[in-house]
Amino acid sequence: QVALDDFQAVADLLDQWGMAQSETLSWRTEMAAAHLQLGNHETAARFAREQLRRIGTDGHLRVRGRTMRLLAATRDLHRRPPMLREAVDVLHRSGDKFELASALAALHDAYTRLGDAGRARSVARKTNSIRQACFAEQPVRRVGAPDVLEETEVDMLALSDAERRVAKAAAKGLTNREIAGKLYLTTSTVEQHLTRIYRKLGVSSRVQLQSRLGVQSPSPHPALQDASA
């Protein structure tokens, strides 16, 4: 909500300075991202469509690709792949590897949820090939681990920043209540984040989450046996 206020302030200042028609700052895209995080899909879609209308099809490749990825997230699941594939193409031409990885992760998630395992694996391989350019910290590798781990690791790219923070805290053995206090969230919000994290990463407990993130198991904690603790 604070982010929304800031982006609106940007819009007001641009209007005040007579730069309302300028596309120098893509505040509408960021408004769409913030509304998407809040679950306001219709409002997010409205800002994303307006951003795309203003920048057109020429130039602003990074902004256009990122905005298309966000707009795709507001659509029904079966309608997402075509727009995400276009976003991937645009971002590939933009040279922005981080946004490209994010779009590929979203496409991978869509194919996985649609049950299209073949396409999901293909996208996972593409994502994994560029992930080193996006993140300096490398995941822990286990000697003799099956090749499929290389593909499932890219699911982390599908997590939001908030979900990554919750995932790391949960993997360290913190209870939902402890995570809520540490990250200034409500317990209900933590539970919702964990539900999405487990689904995206294909795990069902904190123990499995630790294994996926390469976190050393802490001292036994009741929360490790019950995801709702």
Side-chain angles (χ1 to χ4, degrees):
Q1 188 61 54
V2 173
L4 289 178
D5 292 341
D6 286 344
F7 295 134
Q8 186 59 56
V10 171
D12 293 342
L13 286 172
L14 289 175
D15 184 59
Q16 178 183 330
W17 296 336
M19 299 173 60
Q21 303 304 315
S22 173
E23 294 307 320
T24 302
L25 299 176
S26 55
W27 63 270
R28 293 179 183 81
T29 295
E30 304 315 319
M31 286 284 269
H35 276 293
L36 194 59
Q37 287 291 324
L38 291 172
N40 305 329
H41 286 198
E42 290 186 8
T43 305
R46 177 166 57 82
F47 276 107
R49 286 195 297 267
E50 178 62 15
Q51 182 71 73
L52 290 173
R53 185 187 70 80
R54 286 175 174 271
I55 63 177
T57 58
D58 299 323
H60 301 288
L61 293 180
R62 177 189 177 281
V63 173
R64 185 153 64 94
R66 172 173 167 76
T67 306
M68 291 175 68
R69 172 174 66 81
L70 295 170
L71 181 57
T74 70
R75 295 187 167 185
D76 292 337
L77 183 60
H78 71 280
R79 296 178 59 200
R80 293 179 191 176
M83 176 163 282
L84 287 171
R85 287 195 298 267
E86 186 174 353
V88 166
D89 178 65
V90 170
L91 289 167
H92 177 73
R93 288 186 282 124
S94 79
D96 189 320
K97 289 185 170 56
F98 181 86
E99 287 296 340
L100 174 59
S102 297
L104 283 167
L107 183 58
H108 171 263
D109 180 64
Y111 281 142
T112 299
R113 293 171 62 186
L114 287 168
D116 194 336
R119 288 183 177 178
R121 283 194 295 271
S122 176
V123 173
R125 285 192 292 270
K126 292 178 182 178
T127 311
N128 201 43
S129 70
I130 66 170
R131 57 191 302 277
Q132 290 185 356
C134 302
F135 300 100
E137 181 180 353
Q138 296 301 305
V140 172
R141 292 285 186 183
R142 289 177 175 76
V143 177
D147 291 341
V148 70
L149 284 180
E150 291 191 3
E151 296 177 1
T152 56
E153 282 169 359
V154 302
D155 287 349
M156 281 294 288
L157 293 172
L159 299 184
S160 68
D161 290 340
E163 289 168 351
R164 290 191 188 101
R165 288 193 290 270
V166 170
K168 290 178 180 178
K172 292 178 180 178
L174 275 64
T175 66
N176 290 3
R177 186 182 299 276
E178 291 169 338
I179 296 172
K182 180 181 178 65
L183 301 180
Y184 303 101
L185 302 171
T186 65
T187 303
S188 175
T189 298
V190 172
E191 292 171 353
Q192 293 173 31
H193 280 320
L194 282 174
T195 296
R196 289 191 290 269
I197 291 165
Y198 284 10
R199 174 179 57 77
K200 290 181 179 181
L201 299 187
V203 300
S204 59
S205 69
R206 280 171 163 78
V207 173
Q208 292 180 0
L209 186 61
Q210 289 169 1
S211 177
R212 176 57 59 82
L213 300 185
V215 176
Q216 185 175 2
S217 299
S219 299
H221 196 296
L224 296 179
Q225 304 301 322
D226 184 1
S228 64

